[in-house]
Coordinates of all heavy atoms in Angstrom, one line a residue:
L64 N 37.0 23.2 0.0 CA 38.3 22.8 0.1 C 39.4 23.2 -1.1 O 40.6 23.2 -0.9 CB 38.6 21.3 0.3 CG 38.0 20.8 1.6 CD1 38.1 19.3 1.8 CD2 38.7 21.4 2.9
T84 N 39.6 14.2 0.2 CA 39.6 14.7 1.5 C 38.1 14.9 2.0 O 37.7 14.5 3.2 CB 40.5 15.9 1.8 OG1 41.7 15.7 1.3 CG2 40.4 16.3 3.3
S87 N 36.4 11.6 2.4 CA 36.9 10.9 3.7 C 36.3 11.5 5.0 O 35.9 10.8 5.8 CB 38.4 10.9 3.7 OG 38.8 10.3 4.8
A88 N 36.1 12.8 4.9 CA 35.6 13.5 6.1 C 34.0 13.4 6.1 O 33.5 13.0 7.2 CB 35.9 15.0 6.0
V91 N 33.2 10.0 7.2 CA 33.8 9.7 8.4 C 34.8 8.6 8.5 O 34.7 7.6 9.2 CB 32.7 9.6 9.6 CG1 32.1 10.8 10.0 CG2 31.8 8.5 9.3
G93 N 38.7 8.8 7.3 CA 40.0 9.2 7.8 C 41.1 8.9 7.0 O 42.3 9.3 7.3
V95 N 43.6 9.7 4.1 CA 44.1 11.0 3.5 C 45.1 10.8 2.5 O 45.9 9.8 2.6 CB 44.5 11.9 4.7 CG1 43.5 12.4 5.6 CG2 45.7 11.3 5.5
V97 N 47.0 13.8 1.9 CA 47.9 14.9 2.3 C 47.8 15.0 3.7 O 47.0 14.5 4.4 CB 47.5 16.2 1.6 CG1 47.6 16.1 0.1 CG2 46.1 16.6 1.9
D98 N 48.8 15.7 4.3 CA 48.9 15.7 5.8 C 47.9 16.8 6.3 O 48.0 18.0 6.0 CB 50.3 16.1 6.2 CG 50.5 16.2 7.7 OD1 49.6 15.9 8.4 OD2 51.6 16.5 8.0
T99 N 47.0 16.4 7.1 CA 45.9 17.3 7.6 C 46.5 18.5 8.3 O 46.1 19.5 8.3 CB 44.9 16.6 8.4 OG1 44.4 15.4 7.7 CG2 43.7 17.4 8.8
A100 N 47.6 18.1 9.2 CA 48.2 19.2 10.0 C 48.9 20.2 9.3 O 48.9 21.4 9.7 CB 49.1 18.4 11.1
T101 N 49.5 20.0 8.2 CA 50.4 20.9 7.5 C 49.8 21.3 6.2 O 50.2 22.4 5.7 CB 51.8 20.3 7.3 OG1 51.7 19.2 6.5 CG2 52.4 19.9 8.6
W103 N 46.4 21.8 5.2 CA 45.3 22.7 5.3 C 45.4 23.8 6.3 O 46.1 23.6 7.3 CB 44.1 21.8 5.7 CG 43.8 20.7 4.8 CD1 44.0 19.3 5.1 CD2 43.3 20.7 3.4 NE1 43.7 18.5 4.0 CE2 43.3 19.3 2.9 CE3 42.9 21.7 2.6 CZ2 42.8 19.1 1.7 CZ3 42.5 21.4 1.4 CH2 42.4 20.1 0.8
T104 N 44.9 24.9 6.1 CA 44.9 26.0 7.0 C 43.9 25.9 8.0 O 43.0 24.8 7.9 CB 44.5 27.4 6.1 OG1 43.1 27.1 5.6 CG2 45.5 27.6 5.0
P105 N 43.7 26.6 9.0 CA 42.7 26.5 10.0 C 41.2 26.6 9.4 O 40.4 25.8 9.9 CB 42.9 27.6 11.0 CG 44.4 28.0 10.9 CD 44.8 27.6 9.5
F106 N 41.1 27.3 8.3 CA 39.8 27.3 7.6 C 39.5 26.0 6.9 O 38.4 25.4 7.2 CB 39.8 28.4 6.5 CG 38.6 28.5 5.7 CD1 37.4 29.1 6.1 CD2 38.5 27.8 4.5 CE1 36.2 29.1 5.4 CE2 37.4 27.8 3.7 CZ 36.3 28.4 4.2
G107 N 40.5 25.4 6.3 CA 40.3 24.1 5.7 C 40.0 23.0 6.8 O 39.3 22.2 6.5
Q108 N 40.8 23.2 7.9 CA 40.5 22.1 9.0 C 39.1 22.3 9.6 O 38.5 21.3 10.0 CB 41.5 22.3 10.1 CG 42.9 22.0 9.6 CD 44.0 22.3 10.6 OE1 43.8 23.0 11.6 NE2 45.3 22.0 10.3
V109 N 38.6 23.5 9.6 CA 37.2 23.7 10.0 C 36.2 23.1 9.1 O 35.2 22.5 9.5 CB 37.0 25.3 10.3 CG1 35.4 25.4 10.5 CG2 37.7 25.8 11.5
V110 N 36.5 23.3 7.8 CA 35.7 22.7 6.9 C 35.7 21.2 7.0 O 34.6 20.5 6.9 CB 36.1 23.0 5.4 CG1 35.4 22.2 4.3 CG2 36.0 24.6 5.2
I111 N 36.8 20.6 7.2 CA 36.9 19.1 7.4 C 36.1 18.7 8.6 O 35.3 17.7 8.6 CB 38.4 18.7 7.6 CG1 39.1 18.9 6.3 CG2 38.6 17.3 8.1 CD1 40.6 18.7 6.3
I112 N 36.2 19.4 9.8 CA 35.5 19.0 11.0 C 34.0 19.2 10.8 O 33.2 18.4 11.4 CB 36.1 19.7 12.2 CG1 35.8 18.8 13.6 CG2 35.5 21.1 12.4 CD1 36.5 17.6 13.5
C113 N 33.6 20.2 10.1 CA 32.2 20.4 9.8 C 31.6 19.2 8.9 O 30.5 18.8 9.1 CB 31.9 21.7 9.1 SG 32.1 23.2 10.2
L114 N 32.5 18.8 8.0 CA 32.1 17.6 7.1 C 31.9 16.4 8.0 O 30.9 15.6 7.8 CB 32.9 17.4 6.0 CG 33.0 18.5 4.8 CD1 34.0 18.3 3.9 CD2 31.6 18.4 4.1
I115 N 32.9 16.2 8.9 CA 32.8 15.0 9.7 C 31.5 15.0 10.6 O 30.8 14.1 10.7 CB 34.1 15.1 10.6 CG1 35.3 14.7 9.9 CG2 33.9 14.0 11.8 CD1 36.7 14.8 10.7
Q116 N 31.2 16.2 11.2 CA 30.0 16.4 12.0 C 28.7 16.0 11.3 O 27.8 15.3 11.7 CB 30.0 17.6 12.7 CG 28.9 17.7 13.8 CD 29.3 16.9 15.1 OE1 29.2 15.8 15.0 NE2 29.6 17.6 16.0
I169 N 28.4 13.9 24.8 CA 29.7 13.0 24.7 C 30.8 13.8 24.1 O 31.9 13.7 24.7 CB 29.4 11.7 23.8 CG1 28.4 10.8 24.5 CG2 30.7 11.0 23.6 CD1 28.0 9.7 23.6
E170 N 30.6 14.5 23.1 CA 31.7 15.3 22.6 C 32.1 16.4 23.5 O 33.4 16.7 23.5 CB 31.4 16.0 21.1 CG 31.1 14.9 20.0 CD 30.7 15.6 18.7 OE1 30.4 16.8 18.7 OE2 30.7 14.8 17.7
T171 N 31.3 17.0 24.1 CA 31.7 18.0 25.1 C 32.5 17.6 26.2 O 33.5 18.1 26.7 CB 30.4 18.9 25.7 OG1 29.7 19.5 24.6 CG2 30.9 19.9 26.6
A172 N 32.1 16.4 26.8 CA 32.8 15.7 27.9 C 34.1 15.2 27.4 O 35.2 15.6 28.1 CB 32.0 14.5 28.4
A173 N 34.4 14.7 26.2 CA 35.6 14.3 25.8 C 36.5 15.5 25.4 O 37.8 15.5 25.7 CB 35.4 13.5 24.5
A174 N 36.0 16.6 24.8 CA 36.7 17.7 24.6 C 37.3 18.4 25.8 O 38.4 18.8 25.8 CB 35.9 18.8 23.8
G175 N 36.4 18.3 26.9 CA 36.9 18.9 28.2 C 38.1 18.1 28.8 O 39.0 18.7 29.3
I176 N 38.0 16.7 28.6 CA 39.2 15.9 29.1 C 40.4 16.2 28.3 O 41.5 16.4 28.9 CB 38.8 14.5 29.1 CG1 37.6 14.2 30.0 CG2 40.0 13.6 29.4 CD1 37.0 12.8 30.0
L177 N 40.2 16.3 27.0 CA 41.4 16.5 26.1 C 42.0 17.8 26.4 O 43.2 18.1 26.3 CB 41.0 16.2 24.7 CG 40.7 14.8 24.3 CD1 40.1 14.7 22.8 CD2 41.8 13.8 24.5
F178 N 41.1 18.8 26.5 CA 41.5 20.2 26.8 C 42.4 20.3 28.1 O 43.5 20.9 27.9 CB 40.3 21.1 26.8 CG 40.6 22.4 27.5 CD1 41.3 23.5 26.8 CD2 40.4 22.7 28.9 CE1 41.5 24.7 27.4 CE2 40.6 23.9 29.5 CZ 41.3 25.0 28.7
F181 N 45.8 18.5 27.3 CA 46.7 19.3 26.4 C 47.2 20.6 27.0 O 48.3 21.0 26.9 CB 45.9 19.7 25.2 CG 45.7 18.6 24.2 CD1 44.5 18.4 23.5 CD2 46.7 17.7 23.8 CE1 44.2 17.4 22.6 CE2 46.6 16.6 23.0 CZ 45.3 16.6 22.4
Y187 N 49.9 23.3 26.2 CA 49.4 24.0 25.0 C 48.7 25.4 25.6 O 48.4 25.5 26.7 CB 48.2 23.3 24.3 CG 48.7 22.1 23.5 CD1 50.0 21.4 23.7 CD2 47.9 21.6 22.5 CE1 50.4 20.4 22.9 CE2 48.3 20.6 21.6 CZ 49.5 20.0 21.9 OH 50.0 18.9 21.2
P189 N 45.8 27.9 26.1 CA 44.3 27.7 26.2 C 43.5 27.6 24.8 O 42.8 26.6 24.7 CB 43.8 28.8 27.1 CG 44.9 29.2 27.8 CD 46.2 29.1 26.9
G190 N 43.8 28.4 23.9 CA 43.2 28.4 22.7 C 43.5 27.2 21.8 O 42.6 26.4 21.3
A191 N 44.8 26.8 21.8 CA 45.2 25.7 21.1 C 44.7 24.3 21.7 O 44.3 23.4 21.0 CB 46.8 25.6 20.9
A192 N 44.7 24.3 23.1 CA 44.2 23.2 23.8 C 42.8 22.9 23.6 O 42.3 21.8 23.3 CB 44.5 23.3 25.3
L193 N 42.0 24.0 23.5 CA 40.5 23.9 23.2 C 40.2 23.4 21.8 O 39.5 22.5 21.6 CB 40.0 25.3 23.5 CG 38.4 25.3 23.3 CD1 37.7 24.3 24.2 CD2 37.8 26.7 23.5
A194 N 41.0 24.1 20.8 CA 40.9 23.6 19.4 C 41.2 22.2 19.2 O 40.4 21.5 18.5 CB 41.8 24.6 18.5
H195 N 42.4 21.7 19.7 CA 42.8 20.3 19.6 C 41.8 19.4 20.3 O 41.6 18.3 19.8 CB 44.2 20.1 20.0 CG 45.3 20.7 19.1 ND1 46.2 19.9 18.6 CD2 45.5 21.9 18.6 CE1 47.0 20.6 17.7 NE2 46.6 21.9 17.7
G196 N 41.3 19.8 21.5 CA 40.4 18.9 22.2 C 39.1 18.8 21.5 O 38.7 17.7 21.3
A197 N 38.6 19.9 20.9 CA 37.3 19.8 20.3 C 37.5 19.0 18.9 O 36.5 18.2 18.5 CB 36.8 21.2 20.0
F198 N 38.4 19.3 18.1 CA 38.6 18.6 16.9 C 38.7 17.1 17.1 O 38.0 16.4 16.4 CB 40.0 19.2 16.3 CG 40.1 18.6 14.8 CD1 39.8 19.4 13.7 CD2 40.6 17.4 14.6 CE1 39.9 18.9 12.4 CE2 40.9 16.8 13.3 CZ 40.5 17.6 12.2
H199 N 39.5 16.7 18.1 CA 39.9 15.2 18.2 C 38.6 14.6 18.8 O 38.3 13.4 18.6 CB 41.1 14.9 18.9 CG 42.3 15.4 18.2 ND1 42.9 16.6 18.2 CD2 43.0 14.7 17.3 CE1 43.9 16.7 17.5 NE2 44.0 15.5 16.8
A200 N 37.8 15.3 19.7 CA 36.6 14.8 20.3 C 35.5 14.5 19.2 O 34.9 13.4 19.1 CB 36.1 15.6 21.3
V201 N 35.3 15.5 18.3 CA 34.4 15.2 17.1 C 34.9 14.2 16.3 O 34.1 13.4 15.9 CB 34.2 16.6 16.5 CG1 33.4 16.4 15.2 CG2 33.6 17.7 17.3
S202 N 36.2 14.2 16.0 CA 36.7 13.2 15.0 C 36.6 11.8 15.6 O 36.2 10.9 14.9 CB 38.1 13.5 14.8 OG 38.7 12.6 13.8
A203 N 36.7 11.5 17.0 CA 36.7 10.3 17.6 C 35.2 9.9 17.7 O 35.0 8.6 17.4 CB 37.3 10.3 19.0
F204 N 34.3 10.6 18.2 CA 32.9 10.3 18.4 C 32.3 9.9 17.1 O 31.4 9.0 16.9 CB 32.1 11.3 19.1 CG 30.7 10.9 19.3 CD1 30.4 9.9 20.2 CD2 29.7 11.5 18.6 CE1 29.1 9.5 20.5 CE2 28.3 11.0 18.8 CZ 28.0 10.1 19.7
N205 N 32.7 10.6 16.0 CA 32.1 10.3 14.7 C 32.9 9.2 13.9 O 32.7 9.0 12.8 CB 32.0 11.6 13.8 CG 30.9 12.5 14.4 OD1 29.8 12.3 14.0 ND2 31.4 13.7 15.0
N206 N 33.9 8.6 14.7 CA 34.6 7.5 14.1 C 35.3 7.9 12.8 O 35.4 7.1 11.9 CB 33.7 6.2 13.8 CG 33.4 5.5 15.0 OD1 33.4 4.3 15.1 ND2 33.2 6.1 16.2
A207 N 35.8 9.2 12.8 CA 36.5 9.6 11.6 C 37.9 9.3 11.5 O 38.5 8.9 10.6 CB 36.2 11.1 11.5
G208 N 38.7 9.7 12.7 CA 40.0 9.3 12.6 C 41.1 10.4 12.2 O 42.3 10.3 12.0
F209 N 40.5 11.5 11.7 CA 41.4 12.6 11.3 C 42.1 13.2 12.6 O 41.5 13.3 13.7 CB 40.5 13.9 10.8 CG 40.1 13.6 9.3 CD1 39.1 12.8 8.9 CD2 40.9 14.2 8.3 CE1 38.7 12.6 7.6 CE2 40.6 14.0 7.0 CZ 39.5 13.2 6.6
A210 N 43.3 13.7 12.5 CA 44.1 14.2 13.6 C 44.9 15.4 13.1 O 45.2 15.5 11.9 CB 45.1 13.1 14.1
L211 N 45.2 16.2 14.0 CA 46.0 17.4 13.7 C 47.4 17.3 13.8 O 48.2 18.2 14.2 CB 45.4 18.6 14.5 CG 44.0 19.0 14.3 CD1 43.6 20.2 15.2 CD2 43.7 19.4 12.9
Y212 N 47.9 16.0 13.7 CA 49.4 15.7 13.8 C 49.7 14.9 12.7 O 49.1 14.0 12.1 CB 49.6 15.0 15.2 CG 49.0 15.6 16.4 CD1 47.8 15.1 17.0 CD2 49.6 16.7 17.0 CE1 47.2 15.8 18.0 CE2 49.1 17.3 18.0 CZ 47.8 17.0 18.6 OH 47.4 17.6 19.6
S213 N 50.9 15.1 12.2 CA 51.5 14.4 11.1 C 51.6 13.0 11.3 O 51.5 12.1 10.3 CB 52.9 15.0 10.6 OG 52.8 16.4 10.3
N215 N 49.6 11.3 13.2 CA 48.4 10.9 13.8 C 48.5 11.0 15.3 O 48.8 12.1 15.8 CB 47.8 9.5 13.4 CG 46.3 9.4 13.4 OD1 45.8 9.1 14.4 ND2 45.7 9.7 12.3
V216 N 48.3 10.0 16.1 CA 48.4 10.1 17.6 C 49.5 9.2 18.1 O 49.5 8.8 19.3 CB 47.1 9.8 18.3 CG1 46.0 10.8 18.0 CG2 46.6 8.4 18.0
F219 N 51.3 10.1 21.2 CA 50.7 9.9 22.5 C 50.4 8.4 22.8 O 49.6 8.1 23.5 CB 49.3 10.6 22.4 CG 49.3 12.0 22.0 CD1 48.9 12.4 20.8 CD2 49.7 13.0 22.9 CE1 48.9 13.8 20.4 CE2 49.7 14.4 22.5 CZ 49.4 14.7 21.3
I225 N 44.9 10.4 26.7 CA 44.5 10.8 25.4 C 43.9 9.5 24.7 O 42.9 9.6 24.2 CB 45.8 11.2 24.6 CG1 46.3 12.4 25.3 CG2 45.4 11.5 23.2 CD1 45.5 13.7 25.2
T228 N 40.5 8.2 26.1 CA 39.4 9.2 25.9 C 39.0 9.0 24.5 O 37.6 9.0 24.2 CB 39.8 10.6 26.2 OG1 40.3 10.7 27.5 CG2 38.7 11.5 25.8
L229 N 39.9 8.9 23.6 CA 39.6 8.7 22.1 C 38.9 7.4 21.9 O 37.9 7.3 21.2 CB 40.8 8.8 21.3 CG 41.4 10.2 21.3 CD1 42.8 10.1 20.3 CD2 40.6 11.3 20.7
C232 N 35.2 7.4 23.1 CA 34.4 8.2 22.1 C 34.1 7.3 21.0 O 32.9 7.2 20.4 CB 35.1 9.4 21.6 SG 35.1 10.8 22.8
V233 N 35.1 6.6 20.5 CA 34.9 5.6 19.3 C 33.9 4.6 19.7 O 33.1 4.2 18.8 CB 36.3 5.0 18.9 CG1 36.1 3.9 17.8 CG2 37.1 6.1 18.3
A311 N 37.3 3.8 13.4 CA 38.0 5.1 13.2 C 39.4 4.9 12.8 O 40.0 3.8 13.0 CB 38.0 5.8 14.7
G312 N 40.0 5.9 12.3 CA 41.3 5.9 11.6 C 42.5 6.3 12.3 O 43.6 6.6 11.8
F313 N 42.4 6.5 13.7 CA 43.5 6.8 14.4 C 44.5 5.7 14.5 O 44.1 4.6 14.4 CB 43.1 7.2 15.9 CG 42.3 8.4 16.0 CD1 40.9 8.3 16.4 CD2 42.7 9.7 15.8 CE1 40.1 9.4 16.5 CE2 41.9 10.8 15.8 CZ 40.7 10.6 16.3

Side-chain angles (χ1 to χ4, degrees):
L64 290 178
T84 304
S87 184
V91 291
V95 293
V97 294
D98 184 6
T99 306
T101 59
W103 304 107
T104 62
F106 176 83
Q108 293 169 357
V109 169
V110 172
I111 290 173
I112 203 63
C113 289
L114 288 172
I115 291 173
Q116 192 70 288
I169 295 175
E170 290 181 354
T171 301
I176 295 173
L177 295 175
F178 164 77
F181 287 136
Y187 286 22
L193 181 61
H195 281 240
F198 186 97
H199 292 93
V201 173
S202 182
F204 179 72
N205 288 284
N206 280 220
F209 279 85
L211 296 179
Y212 308 100
S213 299
N215 207 274
V216 294
F219 307 104
I225 301 293
T228 300
L229 295 178
C232 286
V233 171
F313 295 111

